[in-house]
């Protein structure tokens, strides 16, 4: 299967090079709890090197002599360990203060907690997921990061219409088959059938995402998959099937370009 996937990537990106695909560890400073300059000063004191990621608002690459997942600063929620491309999809949603936002596949909450940060804990974020243990992680992350504007529900997001709410913004960070940078032996674990099955579910989720979005509202569809069936094909399906579905921006993150994981983001507006 590896050859099959690599050939596909080379067709989409002529200079694709799996050997050059390095993911740099990144964190996001949580301005709900601390000012960036103050956290950077504290991290430098502990010999942790941080470098501003030029295409993000609060994102930094880091190099640390020990794990950053259990420092006092981490436990107090001063930062979230969040890969760079994942931060971009929350930024592209551009949530404003006091808006009503739906995060359809939210756990463990990397993006939910970032949306809350961007909204300065105002308005309401409804966060859905179907995995109990992942929802627990989401609850803990909200608590650690000082997030207070999130309502969590264990609910299949395909039925989000039951909520009877029209949202200003919707984030669909869809369940997907992942990518070779973040999962060992990915090439040998995935089949085209899995990918097509995910694609069908993603379209169902996208249909609901669009239907609960208010007119003039914004929807971000993202995946950590590089497979076209889960990315462009899903969005093209939306364009063909859903009235008023306008694609404003579409971006693929190839690991070799910006040292992110493989990622896809589309920004959609409802006319
Ligand atoms: C890519 S992960 C989400 C990551 C999350 N947005 C973040 O940034 O931390 C996809 C999530 O979708 C959830 N999921 C799968 N099917 C779902 C469905 N039908 N409705 C809601 N959530 C679903 C999975 O449990 C998983 O937590």
């Amino acid at each position: 299967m590896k050859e099959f996937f690599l050939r596909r990537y080379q067709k989409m990106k002529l200079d694709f090079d799996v050997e050059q695909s390095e993911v740099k560890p990144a964190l996001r400073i949580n301005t709900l709890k601390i000012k960036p300059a103050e956290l950077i000063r504290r991290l430098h004191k502990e010999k942790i090197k941080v470098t501003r990621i030029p295409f993000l608002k609060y994102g930094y690459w880091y190099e640390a002599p020990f794990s950053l997942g259990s420092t006092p600063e981490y436990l107090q929620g001063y930062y979230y360990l969040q890969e760079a491309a994942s931060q971009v999809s929350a930024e592209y949603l551009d949530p404003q203060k006091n808006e009503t936002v739906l995060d359809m596949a939210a756990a463990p909450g990397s993006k939910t907690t970032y949306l809350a940060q961007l909204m300065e804990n105002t308005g309401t974020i409804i966060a859905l997921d179907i995995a109990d243990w992942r929802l627990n992680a989401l609850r803990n992350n909200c608590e650690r990061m000082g997030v207070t504007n999130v309502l969590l529900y264990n609910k299949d997001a395909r039925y989000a219409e039951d909520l009877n709410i029209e949202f200003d913004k919707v984030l669909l960070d869809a369940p997907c088959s992942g990518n070779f940078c973040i999962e060992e032996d990915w090439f040998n674990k995935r089949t085209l059938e899995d990918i097509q099955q995910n694609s069908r579910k993603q379209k169902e989720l996208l249909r609901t995402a669009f239907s609960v979005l208010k007119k003039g509202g914004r929807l971000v569809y993202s995946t950590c998959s590089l497979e076209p069936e889960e990315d462009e094909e899903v969005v093209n399906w939306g364009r063909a099937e859903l009235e008023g579905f306008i694609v404003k921006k579409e971006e693929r993150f190839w690991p070799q370009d910006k040292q992110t994981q493989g990622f896809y983001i589309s920004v959609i507006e409802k006319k």
Side-chain angles (χ1 to χ4, degrees):
M1 279 314 272
K2 184 170 180 180
E3 284 313 306
F4 167 81
F5 285 114
L6 293 183
R7 262 202 311 276
R8 276 158 56 107
Y9 302 153
Q10 274 151 2
K11 269 198 192 148
M12 287 182 269
K13 180 173 172 62
L14 293 177
D15 66 346
F16 175 78
D17 185 351
V18 72
E19 302 302 331
Q20 295 292 317
S21 301
E22 177 216 359
V23 187
K24 276 201 198 169
L27 58 81
R28 162 173 56 85
I29 297 182
N30 180 18
T31 50
L32 290 176
K33 287 216 162 171
I34 195 164
K35 291 202 162 62
E38 168 63 8
L39 179 64
I40 291 166
R41 192 186 60 74
R42 288 175 69 149
L43 295 177
H44 280 166
K45 239 169 94 183
E46 293 163 42
K47 308 269 178 292
I48 297 159
K49 193 174 156 205
V50 290
T51 319
R52 182 86 195 263
I53 302 177
F55 54 91
L56 290 174
K57 286 188 174 154
Y58 304 107
Y60 292 76
W61 285 303
Y62 68 83
E63 287 169 50
F66 47 82
S67 157
L68 286 198
S70 56
T71 65
E73 288 81 7
Y74 174 86
L75 296 171
Q76 289 175 91
Y78 293 165
Y79 61 85
Y80 195 108
L81 297 176
Q82 184 174 14
E83 195 278 323
S86 150
Q87 298 185 41
V88 178
S89 63
E91 289 192 10
Y92 281 0
L93 192 67
D94 192 28
Q96 303 295 309
K97 280 174 108 175
N98 296 311
E99 283 188 331
T100 305
V101 176
L102 177 66
D103 188 351
M104 291 180 77
S110 332
K111 298 177 193 71
T112 318
T113 54
Y114 194 10
L115 297 174
Q117 174 179 349
L118 294 169
M119 294 163 75
E120 297 174 35
N121 257 339
T122 66
T124 306
I125 302 173
I126 295 199
L128 310 180
D129 207 283
I130 48 166
D132 259 338
W133 66 275
R134 289 176 67 95
L135 275 165
N136 278 337
L138 172 56
R139 189 172 298 110
N140 291 338
N141 280 327
C142 285
E143 203 171 311
R144 183 172 64 83
M145 304 298 280
V147 166
T148 54
N149 63 343
V150 172
L151 297 171
L152 304 180
Y153 293 96
N154 182 340
K155 183 172 178 66
D156 187 327
R158 287 176 291 188
Y159 307 108
E161 285 157 358
D162 301 347
L163 298 167
N164 233 338
I165 299 174
E166 279 204 318
F167 292 90
D168 299 303
K169 304 271 164 72
V170 176
L171 175 62
L172 173 52
D173 184 43
C176 70
S177 48
N179 65 83
F180 67 90
C181 302
I182 51 169
E183 195 177 323
E184 212 176 307
D185 212 20
W186 185 93
F187 290 116
N188 293 321
K189 288 186 198 156
R190 292 294 180 277
T191 64
L192 200 51
E193 287 72 43
D194 302 333
I195 289 167
Q196 285 160 346
Q197 195 176 334
N198 276 332
S199 178
R200 283 192 287 276
K201 184 170 183 185
Q202 288 154 349
K203 287 172 191 162
E204 287 181 60
L205 286 162
L206 186 64
R207 181 192 290 285
T208 304
F210 194 68
S211 93
V212 298
L213 182 66
K214 63 166 68 149
K215 278 206 175 119
R218 172 178 290 202
L219 159 65
V220 166
Y221 174 80
S222 61
T223 73
C224 60
S225 167
L226 285 168
E227 309 315 313
E229 293 85 350
E230 302 189 42
D231 298 336
E232 290 85 353
E233 188 188 302
V234 175
V235 170
N236 286 339
W237 171 88
R239 232 192 293 241
E241 294 292 321
L242 306 170
E243 210 184 305
F245 187 101
I246 310 293
V247 180
K248 290 283 187 185
K249 191 183 189 112
E250 217 177 0
E251 199 168 329
R252 259 178 182 267
F253 291 77
W254 293 97
Q256 73 194 61
D257 292 342
K258 291 183 178 159
Q259 285 76 52
T260 65
Q261 61 167 317
F263 214 80
Y264 168 86
I265 306 179
S266 183
V267 178
I268 295 139
E269 280 181 12
K270 188 169 187 172
K271 215 169 123 186

